[in-house]
Amino acid sequence: MLKRKEFILGAAVGLTFAAAATAGGVIDWPGANAAEVHGRLVPSAGAAGLAFAPPQGAPLSFADIFDQVSPAVVQIDVETRVERPRGGIIPIPGFPPGFGFRAPETQTPDEEEDAPTALGAGSGFFISADGFIVTNNHVVENATKITVKLSDGRELEARLVGRDADTDLAVLKVEGSDFKFVTFEEAAEPRVGDWVIAVGNPFGLGGTATAGIVSARARDISDSRTPYTDYLQIDAAINRGNSGGPTFDIYGRVIGVNSAIFSPTGGSVGIGFAIPASIAKSVTDRLMSGRAIERGYLGATISTITDDEREAYGFASDFEAAYIVDVTAGGPADRAGLQIGDIVTLLNGRKITSSTELTRAVGQAAPGDNLRLEIIREGRQQVINVRSGTRPADIQAAQNGANPDEPGSVPDRPAAGAGEVVEGLTVTPVTEALRTRYSLPDSLNGLVITATAQGSRAARMGFEPGMVIVLADQRQVRTAADLRAAVARVKESGREGIVLLVRTARGNSPVVLPLATAE
């Protein structure tokens, strides 16, 4: 799973280039012919008489680069308020012994409002001589105190200038001048296979360099917290505490900001992710100038058309698009007439291949811009013009307004379901009694599932009483007859499954229900 090196002390040891043993080292080969050299093989002196000849294109050493850039890299220590533990020291995973929740020494009733403090750390780097520092949002989020440790041993208190949760970037400021700083590389795009050097504070060790290559570009790691970022994937070791530190090219230019790792263990396995300089520079420039980060907003929950859905709709095998799963009540999409079940193929002429593509295309628009959406609704192409809103700071809270119910909120279910059976599902129109029984919103209409046939495909797929079928094959269904007609239409077209938009306790979800075939 993806492990974000959240403000936990991090680090790895420094970079050491092992230059084969030494010139003239002894290598004993079992079974070697001792007659020629008496079992002693002398390594080649390499290029220009060097003890170690690197592969063509590789640097001889990263030492000069590290010496050049390391003064700009800092360790960031943070304190955050947390819910009071019940007593004692509670270690935070990933911290060295002695770190943890620091509770007040005395806890009288008058001091109960004094919350304990959690300690954490990450990395960052100076981006200007007057004290601006770039790091990750998740390093400093909710911090009550931020301390920056410089490579020369100085410790300076920092203030938060601004942060952008959607790209996981933040900018700090310390007082002073003439700080050593580095710059983002804007002109040259790193290529897969190019050398990189990561410098940071893994596990609290500080001043640590690791090297590797760019493993991939434009990597979508499917992290809903950072929907606007295509990451650089690197194999230089980055661990907890490297968060917010820079990734350099061999010229000492910042090409990325380390942010996440993929790891089954919590430590580095050679798969790290850095926010590209092309994204980081534009965001941090705005934050440094005090400007807010504003992005366009559609007001819809979306998903990517899957292979099963594509087949069930009868689209071509290369068809790609985004699916409107839900629409936020009163939001821009709702006001413009976008509906759940709509399939978005183009936005302002830009091809939409996935939910990520649509999210980023909307985000690149300015609030107030016109979003011309080309959609497919009930098999027909249409155009919807939406006036872009401003993306809320807490997008999850905005979306939850359309789906307020949480799992487990459904009251006791009936012992047996009333209604008509269609494809193994017992369904009935929404009534006031069913709204009360299943805590359904007043605005919700469709077919309530009250039972599933034992052993049916629907039962095996997890359909449950209390779920509501809102759409079938992109068409609204209010009665069992509507659902039967949709099923018949799909079967007549030769398709083997039907796409249902189902309202669950967790929100709307498109599901492909395989249809029964005549024996």
Side-chain angles (χ1 to χ4, degrees):
M1 62 174 66
L2 280 171
K3 299 281 187 180
R4 198 169 280 283
K5 307 168 296 307
E6 328 209 274
F7 73 50
I8 299 181
L9 275 176
V13 268
L15 170 66
T16 308
F17 236 172
T22 56
V26 177
I27 304 176
D28 290 317
W29 293 89
N33 186 346
E36 288 188 3
V37 288
H38 307 289
R40 179 171 298 177
L41 303 180
V42 180
S44 166
L50 297 175
F52 172 67
Q56 184 176 0
L60 174 63
S61 170
F62 295 108
D64 289 341
I65 304 169
F66 180 77
D67 289 344
Q68 172 189 340
V69 301
S70 60
V73 182
V74 300
Q75 175 176 327
I76 298 174
D77 293 336
V78 299
E79 295 182 8
T80 59
R81 297 287 186 191
V82 295
E83 183 179 351
R84 179 184 299 279
R86 296 193 174 182
I89 300 297
I90 302 176
I92 300 176
F95 278 69
F99 283 84
F101 289 111
R102 187 175 64 202
E105 293 182 2
T106 59
Q107 298 182 15
T108 65
D110 292 337
E111 296 174 323
E112 283 299 313
E113 67 275 7
D114 295 332
T117 301
L119 308 177
S123 304
F125 54 97
F126 282 105
I127 202 67
S128 70
D130 56 349
F132 284 100
I133 296 170
V134 174
T135 187
N136 282 149
N137 172 67
H138 75 261
V139 171
V140 297
E141 187 176 19
N142 302 321
T144 57
K145 182 179 180 181
I146 305 171
T147 303
V148 172
K149 294 182 180 179
L150 279 62
S151 61
D152 60 10
R154 285 182 292 166
E155 295 188 11
L156 303 174
E157 188 166 340
R159 63 180 175 87
L160 178 65
V161 174
R163 61 189 184 89
D164 178 35
D166 288 335
T167 55
D168 195 28
L169 290 166
V171 172
L172 310 177
K173 181 73 166 63
V174 296
E175 296 304 318
S177 60
D178 297 326
F179 293 105
K180 300 296 184 183
F181 68 96
V182 290
T183 58
F184 287 111
E185 171 52 41
E186 298 180 79
E189 287 284 341
R191 303 167 301 167
V192 174
D194 281 348
W195 287 101
V196 295
I197 310 152
V199 182
N201 171 46
F203 302 116
L205 299 177
T208 296
T210 56
I213 63 170
V214 175
S215 302
R217 293 178 51 194
R219 183 69 82 194
D220 179 5
I221 64 175
S222 300
D223 185 353
S224 61
R225 294 168 295 182
T226 55
Y228 301 106
T229 303
D230 278 331
Y231 289 86
L232 283 177
Q233 180 182 325
I234 63 175
D235 71 351
I238 55 177
N239 287 282
R240 294 182 176 186
N242 276 110
S243 284
T247 291
F248 296 100
D249 62 14
I250 60 173
Y251 302 104
R253 303 172 299 195
V254 180
I255 61 170
V257 181
N258 299 324
S259 181
I261 59 173
F262 179 90
S263 175
T265 63
S268 174
V269 294
I271 303 177
F273 301 98
I275 304 162
S278 57
I279 294 175
K281 184 176 187 338
S282 61
V283 171
T284 56
D285 280 351
R286 291 185 66 87
L287 293 176
M288 288 169 63
S289 66
R291 292 176 291 170
I293 305 296
E294 292 186 339
R295 296 184 176 90
Y297 176 61
L298 186 61
T301 303
I302 56 180
S303 67
T304 300
I305 292 287
T306 65
D307 291 341
D308 288 343
E309 292 163 6
R310 182 187 303 114
E311 183 178 351
Y313 280 128
F315 294 138
S317 59
D318 60 350
F319 179 83
E320 296 177 310
Y323 184 90
I324 303 298
V325 174
D326 208 344
V327 175
T328 303
D334 185 34
R335 294 194 297 268
L338 197 66
Q339 298 179 7
I340 57 174
D342 286 345
I343 297 172
V344 181
T345 58
L346 294 171
L347 189 154
N348 292 343
R350 173 176 172 176
K351 185 177 180 181
I352 300 301
T353 60
S354 65
S355 59
T356 299
E357 184 74 20
L358 180 56
T359 297
R360 292 176 181 173
V362 172
Q364 290 170 4
D369 284 355
N370 182 64
L371 304 175
R372 186 179 187 274
L373 299 174
E374 296 187 32
I375 67 168
I376 299 174
R377 178 184 296 171
E378 297 184 3
R380 296 187 298 272
Q381 293 187 341
Q382 298 184 34
V383 173
I384 300 289
N385 287 293
V386 181
R387 183 179 177 82
S388 173
T390 302
R391 182 177 172 88
D394 189 346
I395 189 66
Q396 197 61 48
Q399 291 176 340
N400 285 344
N403 301 300
D405 297 327
E406 294 295 330
S409 66
V410 178
D412 293 337
R413 305 191 187 283
E420 302 180 48
V421 179
V422 181
E423 295 293 322
L425 296 169
T426 301
V427 295
T428 188
V430 175
T431 63
E432 289 307 312
L434 289 173
R435 288 190 196 279
T436 301
R437 178 182 296 277
Y438 294 115
S439 300
L440 304 179
D442 292 339
S443 59
L444 181 66
N445 291 295
L447 285 174
V448 181
I449 298 172
T450 58
T452 57
Q454 186 175 1
S456 66
R457 293 181 179 179
R460 293 195 298 270
M461 292 178 65
F463 284 91
E464 296 179 349
M467 293 181 176
V468 179
I469 301 173
V470 181
L471 298 178
D473 195 35
Q474 277 198 298
R475 290 167 172 80
Q476 290 186 352
V477 287
R478 301 291 182 89
T479 67
D482 291 341
L483 181 57
R484 283 200 187 91
V487 168
R489 184 171 55 251
V490 168
K491 287 183 176 181
E492 288 172 3
S493 68
R495 291 175 276 161
E496 298 179 353
I498 185 170
V499 180
L500 305 177
L501 185 64
V502 181
R503 190 266 189 190
T504 72
R506 298 178 183 274
N508 290 347
S509 178
V511 180
V512 177
L513 175 64
L515 300 177
T517 56
E519 298 295 337

